[in-house]
Amino acid sequence: MVAATATSSYQNHAFFSNFLSSSPNSNLFPLHLRCLKRQSLTSDVTAARIRCKAALGSTETKLQKKSQYDIENLTIWLLKQEQAGNIDAELTIVLSSISLACKQIASLLQRSSIIGLTGAHGTINIQGEDQKKLDVISNELFCNCLRSCGCTGIIASEEEDIPVAVEETYSGNYIVVFDPIDGSANIDTSLTTGSIFGIYGPDEQCLVDIDDNSTLDQEKQKCITSVCQPGSNLLAAGYCLYSSSVVFTLSIGKGVFAFTLDPSHGEFVLTHENIEIPKSGKIYSFNEGNYDLWDEKLKKYLSHLRLPGSNGKPYSGRYIGCLVGEIHRMLLYGGIYGNPKNKNSKNGNLRLLYECAPMSYLVEQAGGIAIDGLQRILDIKPEEVHQRTPIFIGSPDEVEKLQTFLA
């Protein structure tokens, strides 16, 4: 009997059944078949088979669990998107170059107090705003990364007076707009900041031939004005959040994905797949210091939010002073953010091209809504590169509720 049980494997079901029937009292089963330890010859064999199958299924489930070392970084994710035909090789390079600029900015922000990069730079940008030292440095980092990648034709920055045409030697097809440091007033107090970017394809007016009646300068001017495209033309957009974590969030028109910087090896690792904004939320974000400057309809809406709801609690008010931080929280928890026009700022405060359009693209990709109070943000065609606009953006139910008050 011992010799029989020493068989390396039970080669067929008939042999196994004969073995069981000839040894009703045997306890000499191999360890790897201990789940088949039998109490009777018929019913218990069936039960044992079921238990073995259950054990096998459990083993397969364990094998399917994702290992803690099985990570997907931004580079691999972009290459997969390229292989799937969602983006081309040039756009892959542009997005990689932007992520590199974000890593450099994150490093400078973390050490800003140590290496003397806090405080004002002593210059004023085109918007009439005092520039911080890191405003200027971050703008240079973005421009250098985008120029050197060889895939951008025009670069437009919130910190520059006009869009810049990339030198022909390094020129590519893509148009990149960006705000290198959003919420730079938070730098000196080590609060949340971010970078915002949007990527457009070449406009048709950039693809004309120079004829005898036109000059090179005229053609360059056409290319520069092609930056003023509506947000609906965006091919990709995203932001990088600089806070307790550095989070690079983007969309290429196939949902929203977020990658968190792992400082141990300097890679953005995929941490949030296919982000979907909650349909409603209990957080509103408005700078209520401007309350008395707002429209009466908007005041009624905010008064409504302060009233206790069905759960006996009003909405919670949160205001970071950084659009990137507001949108990041909203994508994960829902709610509404507003930066409306007021008596002192008839056209609103935020830039359409560099801030509102890219963020609206992201939020819509996640299932949210973004409007200026009257129309969809992505439908607005900028008339100038530094054009401002009011914006209300967030969970669909919350923005629709706002619209009922503004109607």
Side-chain angles (χ1 to χ4, degrees), residues 220-380:
K220 283 185 177 180
Q221 187 60 38
K222 286 183 180 180
C223 288
I224 290 173
T225 57
S226 73
V227 168
C228 294
Q229 299 184 48
S232 55
N233 287 0
L234 280 164
L235 300 178
Y239 63 77
C240 190
L241 173 80
Y242 310 114
S243 187
S244 57
S245 295
V246 179
V247 184
F248 188 83
T249 304
L250 81 156
S251 175
I252 56 171
K254 303 287 184 179
V256 179
F257 297 79
F259 302 77
T260 303
L261 183 63
D262 184 344
S264 65
H265 51 77
E267 289 285 352
F268 281 112
V269 177
L270 179 62
T271 51
H272 299 77
E273 294 187 61
N274 285 313
I275 297 173
E276 293 184 5
I277 189 170
K279 290 187 176 180
S280 62
K282 285 297 181 180
I283 298 175
Y284 73 95
S285 182
F286 287 73
N287 182 2
E288 295 187 77
N290 294 323
Y291 183 86
D292 290 334
L293 302 176
W294 290 336
D295 180 83
E296 290 300 322
K297 294 179 179 179
L298 182 59
K299 290 180 181 179
K300 288 181 180 179
Y301 168 72
L302 291 171
S303 297
H304 167 75
L305 297 184
R306 297 193 190 105
L307 296 174
S310 57
N311 62 354
K313 297 180 180 180
Y315 280 64
S316 296
R318 300 282 187 272
Y319 189 73
I320 301 173
C322 170
L323 180 61
V324 170
E326 311 285 6
I327 298 300
H328 186 72
R329 181 189 60 229
M330 186 191 308
L331 285 172
L332 300 179
Y333 296 129
I336 185 168
Y337 169 82
N339 198 316
K341 63 182 179 181
N342 59 58
K343 293 177 182 177
N344 295 334
S345 301
K346 301 293 185 182
N347 296 319
N349 295 297
L350 297 181
R351 265 67 59 172
L352 173 60
L353 194 63
Y354 311 106
E355 298 170 313
C356 295
M359 288 305 202
S360 298
Y361 180 85
L362 276 177
V363 168
E364 285 199 6
Q365 283 291 316
I369 298 176
I371 60 172
D372 68 351
L374 298 174
Q375 61 180 322
R376 180 173 174 247
I377 290 289
L378 295 184
D379 289 337
I380 304 173

Side-chain angles (χ1 to χ4, degrees), residues 190-226:
S190 302
L191 298 177
T192 302
T193 55
S195 300
I196 306 171
F197 64 90
I199 303 174
Y200 293 90
D203 192 274
E204 288 184 1
Q205 58 185 330
C206 289
L207 303 177
V208 297
D209 295 324
I210 300 177
D211 56 33
D212 295 336
N213 297 321
S214 62
T215 66
L216 182 60
D217 287 341
Q218 288 173 335
E219 295 306 319
K220 283 185 177 180
Q221 187 60 38
K222 286 183 180 180
C223 288
I224 290 173
T225 57
S226 73

Side-chain angles (χ1 to χ4, degrees), residues 39-317:
Q39 295 177 356
S40 67
L41 289 175
T42 306
S43 60
D44 285 353
V45 168
T46 303
R49 290 173 182 164
I50 294 173
R51 287 197 297 273
C52 275
K53 288 181 179 179
L56 180 60
S58 175
T59 302
E60 289 177 347
T61 301
K62 288 180 181 179
L63 292 174
Q64 290 173 358
K65 285 185 177 179
K66 190 174 182 180
S67 166
Q68 62 176 318
Y69 303 108
D70 184 16
I71 62 175
E72 183 174 347
N73 64 19
L74 177 62
T75 302
I76 293 173
W77 185 86
L78 288 172
L79 290 174
K80 286 182 177 179
Q81 299 305 310
E82 182 184 339
Q83 290 169 354
N86 296 329
I87 56 177
D88 62 21
E90 286 194 0
L91 186 52
T92 299
I93 294 171
V94 172
L95 288 167
S96 295
S97 299
I98 292 173
S99 73
L100 174 60
C102 291
K103 289 178 187 178
Q104 294 174 315
I105 293 170
S107 177
L108 291 176
L109 283 167
Q110 290 170 349
R111 298 179 292 125
S112 59
S113 296
I114 300 171
I115 59 180
L117 290 181
T118 56
H121 184 261
T123 55
I124 297 175
N125 65 16
I126 188 64
Q127 279 78 238
E129 301 165 338
D130 291 327
Q131 290 181 303
K132 299 286 186 180
K133 292 177 182 178
L134 275 171
D135 279 324
V136 177
I137 295 172
S138 298
N139 184 63
E140 283 298 313
L141 287 172
F142 252 91
C143 290
N144 289 340
C145 286
L146 290 170
R147 283 194 186 102
S148 62
C149 78
C151 299
T152 54
I154 302 174
I155 300 170
S157 168
E158 182 184 326
E159 302 298 330
E160 301 281 356
D161 294 354
I162 59 172
V164 177
V166 177
E167 297 85 351
E168 186 175 354
T169 306
Y170 304 102
S171 182
N173 291 321
Y174 287 103
I175 300 168
V176 182
V177 299
F178 61 91
D179 179 0
I181 289 284
D182 172 57
S184 57
N186 290 344
I187 292 174
D188 293 355
T189 50
S190 302
L191 298 177
T192 302
T193 55
S195 300
I196 306 171
F197 64 90
I199 303 174
Y200 293 90
D203 192 274
E204 288 184 1
Q205 58 185 330
C206 289
L207 303 177
V208 297
D209 295 324
I210 300 177
D211 56 33
D212 295 336
N213 297 321
S214 62
T215 66
L216 182 60
D217 287 341
Q218 288 173 335
E219 295 306 319
K220 283 185 177 180
Q221 187 60 38
K222 286 183 180 180
C223 288
I224 290 173
T225 57
S226 73
V227 168
C228 294
Q229 299 184 48
S232 55
N233 287 0
L234 280 164
L235 300 178
Y239 63 77
C240 190
L241 173 80
Y242 310 114
S243 187
S244 57
S245 295
V246 179
V247 184
F248 188 83
T249 304
L250 81 156
S251 175
I252 56 171
K254 303 287 184 179
V256 179
F257 297 79
F259 302 77
T260 303
L261 183 63
D262 184 344
S264 65
H265 51 77
E267 289 285 352
F268 281 112
V269 177
L270 179 62
T271 51
H272 299 77
E273 294 187 61
N274 285 313
I275 297 173
E276 293 184 5
I277 189 170
K279 290 187 176 180
S280 62
K282 285 297 181 180
I283 298 175
Y284 73 95
S285 182
F286 287 73
N287 182 2
E288 295 187 77
N290 294 323
Y291 183 86
D292 290 334
L293 302 176
W294 290 336
D295 180 83
E296 290 300 322
K297 294 179 179 179
L298 182 59
K299 290 180 181 179
K300 288 181 180 179
Y301 168 72
L302 291 171
S303 297
H304 167 75
L305 297 184
R306 297 193 190 105
L307 296 174
S310 57
N311 62 354
K313 297 180 180 180
Y315 280 64
S316 296

